[in-house]
Amino acid sequence: MLKIKPLASVLALATCSTGVVAQTTVLEEVIVTATKRAESLQDIPVTVNAVTADTLQDAGVVDLADVAQLVPALTTTSNLSPFATAIRIRGIGTSQNSIALEASVAFVVDGVYMGRSGLGMSDLTDIERVEVLQGPQGTLYGKNSNAGVVSVVTSKPNFEELAGFVEATVGDYGLQQYTASVTGPVDDKLAYLLAGSWRDQDGWLKNGTGPDQMSTDDWSLRGKLQWLATDALSILLTASHVDRDDRCCAADARQTD
């Protein structure tokens, strides 16, 4: 009996612990629009990796290269220019050494197809979520989606109250990064959103024949104006601008005489 009681106590404790975990662990429902409809991630018959706004902020994501660190099937490569970036899903994609090449992975922002994958390398500011669809998606997204789709969904204007945020980041090699966003209602039918970012960093790759490479000097601005015309009609106007002046993607090599 002395040997059975401790075993019974351990089994009882394990049963109680399992019950507590079962009651407290609940999967958060993630709503995605990967299939052009708002549906639960668990209900759609498509392989999708969804990265939420909280995850993006906690991981310090600033561009698509950072998103690739969170999605195992996604890789990005920049050889000559950030605008000639190659995006691959499951190892399949186009070698984007030239911006004239058509992509095999579609890059979409708020439902609008971006003609060049490198446009996704701009700073991701005030993002609601990023959805990565794996496999051919021609039925939903047309051509240039043979390998998959990277869909970025930005935040919409807030009709309830004035809201916003400001972030400042500093780091080595003179890194300075500032992001800000403000949104709010104009009246019951009209709301706005304005988000922007600025990032500057000195080159960290030494160059014996000129300026140091891998420097960054970027800024972006996005504005939105949403009008609730009727109960069944909503009109959203969006304008954005991205400016990049980088010494990007230099090879780590030493040139001899």
Side-chain angles (χ1 to χ4, degrees):
M1 295 297 294
L2 292 177
K3 295 181 179 180
I4 295 177
K5 284 184 179 181
L7 179 60
S9 300
V10 171
L11 290 175
L13 180 59
T15 302
C16 294
S17 300
T18 303
V20 172
V21 172
Q23 292 177 2
T24 57
T25 304
V26 178
L27 289 176
E28 179 184 359
E29 185 180 30
V30 178
I31 302 299
V32 297
T33 55
T35 57
K36 302 297 183 73
R37 295 187 297 266
E39 297 179 293
S40 173
L41 181 60
Q42 300 182 46
D43 296 336
I44 59 176
V46 180
T47 303
V48 181
N49 295 97
V51 185
T52 63
D54 292 339
T55 302
L56 292 171
Q57 185 171 9
D58 293 343
V61 170
V62 296
D63 57 27
L64 192 58
D66 294 333
V67 176
Q69 303 298 319
L70 303 176
V71 180
L74 178 66
T75 58
T76 64
T77 305
S78 298
N79 294 329
L80 300 177
S81 164
F83 288 109
T85 296
I87 302 178
R88 294 180 175 85
I89 295 181
R90 294 173 175 171
I92 303 174
T94 304
S95 180
Q96 292 275 100
N97 290 332
S98 170
I99 61 174
L101 297 178
E102 298 287 346
S104 298
V105 176
F107 183 77
V108 179
V109 178
D110 290 333
V112 178
Y113 172 74
M114 300 287 110
R116 295 295 171 261
S117 303
L119 294 173
M121 301 308 292
S122 60
D123 288 15
L124 300 181
T125 305
D126 203 8
I127 302 300
E128 183 177 313
R129 65 183 178 277
V130 177
E131 302 170 2
V132 180
L133 291 76
Q134 302 178 28
Q137 304 296 330
T139 302
L140 293 173
Y141 291 90
K143 73 167 190 173
N144 299 343
S145 59
N146 297 331
V149 175
V150 177
S151 177
V152 176
V153 181
T154 62
S155 300
K156 291 184 178 180
N158 191 331
F159 280 88
E160 302 297 330
E161 59 182 358
L162 180 66
F165 68 87
V166 176
E167 286 185 356
T169 303
V170 295
D172 55 1
Y173 298 98
L175 171 63
Q176 297 183 64
Q177 177 178 311
Y178 306 96
T179 59
S181 176
V182 60
T183 179
V186 177
D187 54 36
D188 294 341
K189 298 292 185 178
L190 192 65
Y192 68 92
L193 181 145
L194 185 65
S197 66
W198 179 75
R199 178 184 176 91
D200 182 80
Q201 187 175 27
D202 299 332
W204 49 264
L205 184 59
K206 296 298 180 181
N207 182 11
T209 61
D212 294 340
Q213 301 297 301
M214 310 305 286
S215 65
T216 301
D217 185 7
D218 306 335
W219 66 272
S220 63
L221 188 65
R222 181 176 66 253
K224 289 188 176 185
L225 189 65
Q226 188 171 5
W227 176 39
L228 301 179
T230 66
D231 293 339
L233 176 62
S234 175
I235 298 175
L236 178 63
L237 302 178
T238 303
S240 63
H241 178 83
V242 176
D243 189 282
R244 302 185 65 98
D245 184 13
D246 302 345
R247 293 189 181 94
C248 169
C249 319
D252 187 2
R254 185 181 297 275
Q255 185 175 355
T256 66
D257 296 335

